[in-house]
Amino acid sequence: MARVVIFAPAPMLTVTVEELRGEADVHLHVGGQGVWQARMLASLGVDVVLVCTLTGEAGRVSRHLLDEEGFRVEAIQHEGISPAYIHDRRGGERVAVVEAEGERIPRHALDSLYSAMLREAADADLVILSGPDGERTLDADVYRRLASDMRQLGKPVLVDLAGDRMAAALEGGVDVLKVSHEELVEDGRVDDGDDESQLLAAARRLAADGIALVAVTRAEAGSIVVGEQGAWRVVAPELEPVDPRGAGDSYTAGLAAVLAAGGDHAQAVRTGAAAGAVNATRRGLGTGDAEAIRAIAEQVELQELGADDDDDPEEC
């Protein structure tokens, strides 16, 4: 069984209020990018280890909830204010009641977290570096160090990051990059996130810097992928979404599941697109039926993109 280790520095306790038979129905889960990726990977039959910190009282509750998720958790527990949110969905839409990003990870806890990553990566087939929601949680340079050290250990590195964290990880060296079109705009790598030629050119520039596979997701528009095995426009069946949150992280998990098992880029991209599409049809973030994902993956079309399909403004 393929083994994936996920760096998820600060998962959050999530409280969601739904309506059931006219009454408030309260749900407690642990969320955040790395947790949603781990949940989908476990659904796809991958052996997953989540390396994280858990903070304060909310962290102690999160520990119990994570133990029921179906993947192994290596948690550094410490006192402080935890990331958490309370959302009210009784009206059919998410209404944020409380959204707390939590405190910065203390130095000693961060040292322990880093050591846990080194220890767990020793037996990994692939490592995912994911980010916290909070901007102040940890310095971006941690991602440079981790990416560099994971590759020194001979482990493929997949990053799903943006901004300074993505730039830092790229400096350390990565094998697979998943990034959204909005994030490329925010980073100043493209001017128009709806312009496919700009997205393709940006992906090619990133791949030219030594990244084996670059996947640019565009929500319902489908992803643009550039890698050592080709450049593709990814067209997946248009399933009606219930909640699009978590679809990007499910896409990342689908990529990781195939690549960790030694699969090729084409199958990884098809599985990623299918995992994202199936997750969007559900209310559980990072969830999906493995057989449904595999069935949808067979219907994902990869349209080849040639050298004439982009018009890089830097080369005009």
Side-chain angles (χ1 to χ4, degrees):
M1 180 185 295
R3 187 171 188 263
V4 174
V5 173
I6 301 175
F7 179 70
M12 64 174 62
L13 180 65
T14 73
V15 182
T16 305
V17 185
E18 305 271 2
E19 185 172 319
L20 179 65
R21 296 187 290 273
E23 302 288 340
D25 185 27
V26 180
H27 298 263
L28 275 72
H29 297 284
V30 185
Q33 186 181 43
V35 173
W36 296 328
Q37 292 164 351
R39 193 175 289 152
M40 178 58 76
L41 279 162
S43 297
L44 292 170
V46 177
D47 179 18
V48 183
V49 181
L50 187 80
V51 180
C52 64
T53 63
L54 295 174
T55 308
E57 183 175 329
R60 288 189 285 276
V61 174
S62 295
R63 173 82 245 197
H64 291 291
L65 294 171
L66 286 170
D67 285 342
E68 299 177 358
E69 286 278 4
F71 49 80
R72 187 159 67 84
V73 178
E74 286 295 317
I76 309 303
Q77 296 189 250
H78 62 94
E79 293 305 312
I81 299 175
S82 173
Y85 72 62
I86 301 173
H87 286 178
D88 191 335
R89 283 185 52 121
R90 284 175 291 180
E93 301 290 334
R94 287 184 183 269
V95 177
V97 179
V98 173
E99 292 186 335
E101 71 172 52
E103 293 181 309
R104 185 178 182 84
I105 299 173
R107 178 170 61 86
H108 293 301
L110 184 58
D111 286 346
S112 296
L113 180 67
Y114 202 97
S115 294
M117 274 299 296
L118 295 176
R119 180 178 68 247
E120 295 301 328
D123 296 323
D125 295 300
L126 183 142
V127 172
I128 297 177
L129 302 183
S130 70
D133 278 9
E135 290 300 321
R136 64 185 178 185
T137 306
L138 74 172
D139 291 337
D141 192 61
V142 173
Y143 289 96
R144 180 194 60 78
R145 293 170 53 212
L146 274 172
S148 177
D149 287 348
M150 294 301 103
R151 297 187 94 196
Q152 284 295 316
L153 294 175
K155 306 303 175 182
V157 175
L158 188 162
V159 301
D160 188 351
L161 301 165
D164 291 343
R165 292 167 183 160
M166 183 179 84
L170 295 182
E171 184 180 347
V174 306
D175 300 279
V176 182
L177 170 66
K178 179 263 175 186
V179 63
S180 74
H181 66 301
E182 296 101 331
E183 290 163 343
L184 288 179
V185 172
E186 290 172 5
D187 288 352
R189 295 177 184 269
V190 299
D191 297 323
D192 183 355
D194 294 323
D195 186 331
E196 182 176 285
S197 65
Q198 288 192 34
L199 296 175
L200 179 58
R204 283 185 165 138
R205 287 194 296 271
L206 288 163
D209 286 337
I211 304 174
L213 181 65
V214 178
V216 180
T217 55
R218 301 184 294 168
E220 67 278 356
S223 54
I224 297 295
V225 177
V226 174
E228 295 174 344
Q229 297 175 12
W232 304 303
R233 178 189 301 112
V234 183
V235 181
E238 295 184 11
L239 307 180
E240 185 169 341
V242 171
D243 188 346
R245 297 178 74 233
D249 297 313
S250 295
Y251 187 112
T252 297
L255 288 176
V258 174
L259 296 175
D264 64 16
H265 288 179
Q267 189 56 39
V269 170
R270 289 191 177 96
T271 302
V278 169
N279 175 247
T281 68
R282 302 162 63 95
R283 286 185 174 82
L285 304 184
T287 65
D289 178 81
E291 291 307 313
I293 291 169
R294 293 187 182 101
I296 297 299
E298 294 299 318
Q299 299 186 46
V300 174
E301 181 183 357
L302 303 184
Q303 300 174 350
E304 290 192 18
L305 297 172
D308 296 333
D309 288 293
D310 69 273
D311 182 15
D312 190 338
E314 291 190 357
E315 298 177 355
C316 293

